[in-house]
Amino acid sequence: MSLSSAKETDAFVAAQRFGMGPSGSRGKIGSMKAIVSDPHGWLEAQIKNPPVFTSGLTSGLANQAQLESSTSIIKQVSGKRGDSEAAKKAIRSLAKKHYLNESVARLHQAVISEQPFFERLVLFWSNHFTVSANKKNVIRPIVGAYEREAIRPHVLGTFPEMLRAAVQHPAMLLYLDNASSIGPNSKAGKRRGKGLNENLAREIMELHTLGVNGGYTQDDVISLAKIITGWTLNPPRQGGGGYRFIDRLHEPGSHQLLGKTYGQRGEAQGLAALNDLALHPSTAKFIATKLARHFITDEPDKEDIRTLSKTYLASDGDLKAMYSTLITMEAPWRPPLSKVKSPYELMISSARLMTVQSGTSASSKFPFDDRAYRRLIKTLATFEQLPFSAPSPAGWSDRAADWISPKATLNRIEWCHAFAQALRPQLNPLELAREVIGAVSGPETLLWIERAPSPVEGLALLLASPEWQRR
Amino acid sequence: MTDQEFTPSSGLSYQMTRRRLLGTLGISTALGLGANLFPGQAFAAARTDKRLVVIILRGGMDGLAALAPYGDPAYRQTRGDLALDQDALLKIDPFFGLHPSLSPLASLYQKGEMIALPASATPYRNRSHFDAQNVLELGSDKPHALNSGWLNRLVGAINVLEGNAREGNTRSKNKTENPASPSGELGLAFGSGLPLIMRGDHDVNAWSPSAMPDTSDDYMSMVQRIYGNDPLLSQNLNKALDLQARSEDMTGNEQKMAKQNNPNKSFLNLASLAGRWLGDPDGPRIATLELGGWDTHARQGTEGGRLANNLDILARGIASIKQEMIKSADQSSYGSSWSKTVIVALTEFGRTAHPNGNLGTDHGTAATAFLFGGALKSDGGKGRIIHNWPGLAKAQLYENRDLNPTTDLRAIMLGLLSDHYGLSQAVLTRDIYPGSQGLRPFMGLV
């Protein structure tokens, strides 16, 4: 491999594996030509400061509603609560409105972003701390706000901070039932005879921190559940809606977790426990494994996991340090194409490609409007990857073997054709292919794109090609 | 050609009748499928005609709600606010009653087409959904201990039993070796993806009606060309195209209609599609369906509510599998495949015996396994409830909280698979459920 082609391969990896695909008109930020001069530097620059979340307002996307805070949405929903059909319908339509606005805004943000590496990290952490719109009508309207409030602000922060923000967010407290968990010996518990719900406590240890083999027992689950009793919502009908610690619900006394006694009173007890969980060696290994799986390969090497895990422990879970390690490691850069794009990634990167082909920059004329995004959302439903709707608290799997199937493969290929047809490319597909996948593609792919009977079929083939389906 | 040629050398009880042979030839010729079904041989050994459908109930179904042990003296006290109303229960038994939403299943029970096995569980004793489902689907005794699902290995065992007749269906561990081989139809997952239980070295497939617009054949063949160097993608694409062609033969216009109605999320739709395919003489022999929504941590409801709605969907789905299978039998001379069918509904674990603080239940241990189908052995025409009931009083619970597991799910399956497919215990404990040698198989379920 010559020096220049190695650089081009690096640019491909930076754009696709770390980013969300190239975008912008030629020569501008985010196009392959801009990345190729310094692929590593292009990534480093994206994790200095978080981007502004545009919510579509500054981008020429018409009809984009102002997005609202989860507290305000929860108040709106609770104001409409009632047993009548009309009340239920009003809540459903409110949920749908917020859900669609958030989904469109999130897709748009990723499509126009000049920090696609950051946007990929948002998806990664949002999936790690899954809150799913599938579960309840009360979750659906606030899942988008949850990601904006609990995940995005901490993507360039530390893991302990993000853990606390995610666990204390009303969406998570409702999703995993802690909002209504009551210490059996708390004031409220004694009076009402109600009790614990161990759902959140278990998933914090299994899915957010230690991992399932991280060394905790059923007794630890119960202890942590007791420790975080009282972590709930400020009652929306009394002007609340946000997070609040309510001592009346909190299980009194000290509790043992992973062999350590937590004697703090009130909320401090849970905060201490969360912090210890966040900095536990099992957590370091678990987070390192997930990052390696996302950025290197479905079954990453132990050595690479160890490298990331060391950075985690040395930096007390500093996430920027983790990303810098990833960028400087060799493994994520070789070989290219080891990961299959998820349906969501495939759609975002294909939409970003359209900003290349139309020759327009993100801020001027753009081929995507609300309706186009809503069509994408419909398609994502077919792929069982609706935004904010993972099937379980574990999130979507990052291993291709867990979701790829004959049917899924055929669906993707059919979608590429439909998408190319809907967008009518203006560039020569072969030229476009040479620019965006040329560094990694074999002669066969370029040959068939050249032979394609029409520009639409040529573009469809580019999108369906292994070089575009993978990253 | 004599019957001898169709009898596997292992001496198991599989027999090919002349009528079945003619039936197979007639139908596969009519559909133009002979070459695909039996590559390389004019008449390969016929496939088993026994059907097995596994429905995976993801999230942990509350077995005490599905089949309430109302005769247990501790029932009311332990279940508290979640105890079902005695009058509403479908009292198919003096001790156990079905949830009122399960009336289609009570009808199956009355015809001898249902067996319930309360207090059953996998060998996994912790309470993680993901590890519990992993054990349920791998057929292992601990999580992540094997690299293929037990139904996939069952496909392999049946292939061996039938003398390796369909070489396209068995494949070496190196998946890249023959990426273009025609798809096997012995195992089919209804849904757009392959669940873990079906994954492994042996060829199986997944299918659901598509909501995507059709594309040109030219485009597809060009894509096939550029996938030549990508074994994972090309293998998946080739299987899908093969199955799509056959699906159009089989369901014709209904498939097209399904495309327009975006039915992919509906369990009921997939169940009736599964019934139709399973009823076809050339349809799959082993199938899976999945239904989620069982993780009822809060307000799970009693006679009505969230859990009741899910039970209703499950019961109607099972009823529609039967209905579609019988309907297809009416339209052919093949006879009803329902009488050769067992449907197994399994969940990863049960839930706590007591309600939690939110009128829901947390992750527990033993649940109830259900078998349905015309192949089941009845008890004087009625269904059966087979159990070693552990009791619901506090001291009888597992870790003072969950229904105690007294039946190992693997023992149920060891007996069932042995009776249904004629597989030996030696093969079953080696290939399907390694580590289950000490268990006593439940014989005589079918």
Side-chain angles (χ1 to χ4, degrees):
Chain A
M1 193 179 278
S2 73
L3 198 63
S4 74
S5 79
K7 235 346 177 350
E8 277 162 15
T9 306
D10 282 355
F12 175 87
V13 170
Q16 298 280 5
R17 186 174 299 177
F18 286 94
M20 302 288 290
S23 100
S25 61
R26 293 158 163 238
K28 291 260 178 68
I29 293 168
S31 79
M32 294 308 292
K33 283 190 179 123
I35 302 169
V36 78
S37 64
D38 183 7
H40 290 70
W42 180 71
L43 293 174
E44 287 284 0
Q46 294 180 50
I47 51 169
K48 290 209 163 76
N49 296 299
V52 173
F53 191 81
T54 66
S55 74
L57 292 173
T58 57
S59 60
L61 184 65
N63 305 323
Q64 180 57 50
Q66 182 74 53
L67 302 176
E68 297 177 56
S69 72
S70 58
T71 310
S72 141
I73 297 169
I74 288 170
K75 270 192 253 183
Q76 292 165 32
V77 172
S78 113
K80 294 198 188 306
R81 188 138 288 160
D83 286 332
S84 68
E85 267 313 304
K88 284 181 188 157
K89 207 178 152 197
I91 289 178
R92 271 200 303 272
S93 85
L94 197 62
K96 187 179 172 190
K97 181 186 92 176
H98 286 294
Y99 173 78
L100 279 176
N101 284 343
E102 293 281 359
S103 300
V104 169
R106 188 218 228 194
L107 283 166
H108 183 67
Q109 174 79 11
V111 169
I112 62 156
S113 179
E114 293 179 349
Q115 285 168 263
F117 181 31
F118 181 92
E119 297 303 328
R120 174 177 289 286
L121 291 165
V122 172
L123 295 179
F124 174 84
W125 289 114
S126 194
N127 193 50
H128 180 78
F129 289 109
T130 287
V131 165
S132 174
N134 279 356
K135 189 168 171 178
K136 291 173 183 169
N137 249 338
V138 57
I139 305 290
R140 205 166 141 78
I142 54 172
V143 277
Y146 162 75
E147 187 179 281
R148 286 185 291 110
E149 294 164 359
I151 304 297
R152 292 187 74 89
H154 300 286
V155 164
L156 302 183
T158 70
F159 185 78
E161 287 162 3
M162 194 191 290
L163 174 66
R164 176 182 174 172
V167 166
Q168 290 194 333
H169 194 278
M172 184 67 86
L173 293 168
L174 291 167
Y175 177 53
L176 294 179
D177 304 302
N178 207 70
S180 47
S181 179
I182 299 175
N185 297 307
S186 67
K187 281 184 195 148
K190 277 191 187 152
R191 212 180 53 238
R192 288 194 257 162
K194 290 196 167 182
L196 282 183
N197 191 313
E198 56 188 58
N199 203 9
L200 177 61
R202 178 185 307 281
E203 305 304 21
I204 286 173
M205 291 195 279
E206 177 178 338
L207 302 175
H208 302 158
T209 61
L210 306 173
V212 70
N213 297 318
Y216 63 92
T217 64
Q218 174 64 30
D219 286 344
D220 291 319
V221 171
I222 292 171
S223 270
L224 183 59
K226 287 177 179 166
I227 288 172
I228 59 172
T229 42
W231 293 29
T232 184
L233 268 65
N234 198 2
R237 287 195 169 163
Q238 293 150 38
Y243 166 77
R244 188 175 146 199
F245 175 76
I246 300 182
D247 202 47
R248 216 159 25 84
L249 310 177
H250 183 66
E251 179 74 359
S254 53
H255 304 288
Q256 289 265 333
L257 179 67
L258 301 171
K260 183 172 166 183
T261 305
Y262 291 84
Q264 298 86 341
R265 295 177 62 87
E267 186 193 25
Q269 191 176 47
L271 292 177
L274 269 199
N275 203 58
D276 288 346
L277 286 171
L279 298 178
H280 195 282
S282 295
T283 304
K285 189 178 169 202
F286 186 54
I287 300 298
T289 306
K290 285 189 79 169
L291 277 169
R293 176 167 295 135
H294 189 81
F295 285 99
I296 301 174
T297 181
D298 287 8
E299 304 300 341
D301 271 5
K302 286 207 168 64
E303 201 43 53
D304 293 327
I305 293 170
R306 210 168 297 138
T307 304
L308 285 162
S309 184
K310 267 189 201 156
T311 300
Y312 186 96
L313 289 172
S315 67
D316 286 343
D318 180 78
L319 297 176
K320 275 190 193 178
M322 295 293 279
Y323 311 146
S324 289
T325 301
L326 258 178
I327 294 170
T328 43
M329 284 166 72
E330 225 164 276
W333 299 89
R334 298 284 178 278
L337 305 177
S338 63
K339 296 281 297 180
V340 183
K341 287 177 183 170
S342 73
Y344 197 87
E345 291 164 349
L346 175 64
M347 267 173 227
I348 297 286
S349 59
S350 303
R352 287 172 66 83
L353 183 67
M354 293 304 112
T355 67
V356 174
Q357 72 89 16
S358 68
T360 58
S361 78
S363 53
S364 66
K365 232 173 70 197
F366 190 74
F368 280 82
D369 57 11
D370 273 34
R371 279 183 52 210
Y373 281 119
R374 283 175 194 226
R375 270 199 300 276
L376 279 188
I377 293 170
K378 255 196 163 157
T379 309
L380 284 165
T382 313
F383 287 110
E384 292 170 9
Q385 279 218 354
L386 268 172
F388 311 112
S389 302
S392 83
W396 281 294
S397 169
D398 217 345
R399 284 194 190 94
D402 289 341
W403 54 266
I404 207 158
S405 69
K407 186 72 205 181
T409 308
L410 185 60
N411 270 348
R412 287 161 77 102
I413 294 166
E414 288 174 340
W415 175 79
C416 291
H417 194 269
F419 191 67
Q421 207 155 32
L423 288 167
R424 271 177 269 120
Q426 293 154 32
L427 283 180
N428 178 333
L430 183 63
E431 271 176 43
L432 186 59
R434 281 204 182 109
E435 179 174 346
V436 298
I437 61 171
V440 294
S441 68
E444 193 84 344
T445 300
L446 296 178
L447 178 73
W448 285 98
I449 291 174
E450 189 178 10
R451 284 190 191 168
S454 70
V456 166
E457 308 257 291
L459 178 63
L461 275 181
L462 164 58
L463 299 179
S465 71
E467 295 87 345
W468 191 262
Q469 295 284 318
R470 292 172 171 272
R471 64 180 174 94
Chain B
M1 195 171 279
T2 67
D3 278 355
Q4 192 53 43
E5 290 178 62
F6 299 108
T7 308
S9 54
S10 55
L12 290 155
S13 62
Y14 189 84
Q15 289 282 324
M16 178 87 181
T17 66
R18 185 175 164 75
R19 179 166 167 267
R20 169 76 182 114
L21 174 62
L22 293 173
T24 306
L25 288 177
I27 280 157
S28 52
T29 311
L31 292 176
L33 293 175
N36 264 357
L37 287 174
F38 307 132
Q41 282 178 270
F43 319 109
R47 319 148 79 200
T48 173
D49 56 2
K50 298 291 173 59
R51 268 74 162 169
L52 176 68
V53 184
V54 177
I55 304 177
I56 305 175
L57 308 173
R58 295 194 190 277
M61 180 180 72
D62 188 350
L64 294 173
L67 185 70
Y70 69 94
D72 188 300
Y75 174 70
R76 299 234 138 242
Q77 203 203 339
T78 300
R79 293 297 280 175
D81 290 339
L82 295 181
L84 295 166
D85 181 359
Q86 288 261 10
D87 296 333
L89 280 175
L90 308 169
K91 298 198 191 63
I92 55 173
D93 179 272
F95 192 84
F96 292 102
L98 279 171
H99 189 283
S101 295
L102 297 178
S103 66
L105 304 186
S107 318
L108 294 177
Y109 183 90
Q110 300 306 343
K111 294 190 182 74
E113 296 177 344
M114 174 185 131
I115 297 175
L117 299 113
S120 51
T122 70
Y124 173 77
R125 287 293 169 271
N126 295 316
R127 298 182 181 89
S128 155
H129 287 299
F130 318 105
D131 278 0
Q133 288 178 23
N134 187 273
V135 168
L136 179 74
E137 295 180 74
L138 293 184
S140 52
D141 46 12
K142 54 179 182 295
H144 311 289
L146 296 168
N147 55 15
S148 60
W150 66 263
L151 267 187
N152 187 279
R153 298 194 300 276
L154 179 63
V155 167
I158 292 173
N159 282 334
V160 170
L161 191 68
E162 292 173 3
N164 278 315
R166 292 175 310 287
E167 52 203 33
N169 284 337
T170 51
R171 190 183 287 162
S172 74
K173 276 197 183 289
N174 180 3
K175 286 199 168 200
T176 61
E177 198 173 79
N178 186 12
S181 77
S183 65
E185 63 292 317
L186 197 61
L188 188 61
F190 289 90
S192 62
L194 215 49
L196 184 58
I197 195 171
M198 276 283 219
R199 278 187 227 143
D201 292 337
H202 303 284
D203 234 356
V204 293
N205 223 323
W207 192 249
S208 64
S210 177
M212 289 289 160
D214 287 331
T215 57
S216 67
D217 291 349
D218 280 359
Y219 170 65
M220 276 302 165
S221 62
M222 287 188 289
V223 173
Q224 279 180 297
R225 299 257 183 169
I226 63 174
Y227 278 19
N229 293 323
D230 192 322
L232 177 73
L233 295 181
S234 65
Q235 202 177 311
N236 277 296
L237 173 60
N238 291 335
K239 278 191 195 177
L241 291 175
D242 181 57
L243 198 59
Q244 177 169 267
R246 294 194 290 125
S247 136
E248 277 159 13
D249 284 341
M250 195 137 4
T251 50
N253 283 334
E254 291 176 52
Q255 171 79 10
K256 291 227 163 68
M257 277 163 62
K259 271 192 170 191
Q260 289 152 10
N261 295 334
N262 189 22
N264 48 327
K265 65 181 170 182
S266 157
F267 175 78
L268 287 173
N269 260 312
L270 283 176
S272 81
L273 181 72
R276 203 172 317 148
W277 279 60
L278 287 157
D280 188 279
D282 286 312
R285 299 309 195 239
I286 292 173
T288 57
L289 284 157
E290 299 166 80
L291 180 60
W294 302 99
D295 194 20
T296 50
H297 282 283
R299 287 173 297 284
Q300 70 180 43
T302 51
E303 293 82 37
R306 196 173 146 205
L307 180 56
N309 292 342
N310 230 30
L311 289 168
D312 174 64
I313 290 171
L314 173 65
R316 286 196 286 142
I318 289 165
S320 78
I321 294 175
K322 175 179 176 179
Q323 198 187 340
E324 290 296 333
M325 286 180 89
I326 288 179
K327 219 195 278 172
S328 8
D330 291 344
Q331 291 159 4
S332 77
S333 55
Y334 175 58
S336 169
S337 46
W338 175 248
S339 64
K340 297 157 190 137
T341 297
V342 178
I343 301 171
V344 187
L346 302 173
T347 190
E348 71 260 32
F349 47 54
R351 311 194 67 81
T352 48
H354 299 278
N356 65 9
N358 310 124
L359 293 178
T361 45
D362 288 322
H363 302 180
T365 307
T368 300
F370 286 98
L371 312 179
F372 308 97
L376 295 180
K377 229 177 233 160
S378 72
D379 175 14
K382 292 267 163 97
R384 290 186 282 166
I385 298 176
I386 302 173
H387 62 89
N388 171 15
W389 186 245
L392 281 179
K394 181 104 181 165
Q396 296 169 320
L397 295 177
Y398 178 71
E399 296 183 346
N400 292 321
R401 52 178 270 156
D402 305 337
L403 182 63
N404 224 319
T406 53
T407 295
D408 192 313
L409 279 181
R410 296 173 301 172
I412 300 171
M413 297 311 300
L414 286 174
L416 178 66
L417 296 177
S418 158
D419 285 342
H420 201 47
Y421 289 114
L423 289 161
S424 71
Q425 287 302 318
V427 167
L428 288 169
T429 54
R430 186 191 65 208
D431 295 344
I432 312 299
Y433 287 110
S436 66
Q437 286 82 349
L439 298 174
R440 199 164 56 88
F442 279 62
M443 304 304 287
L445 293 169
V446 293

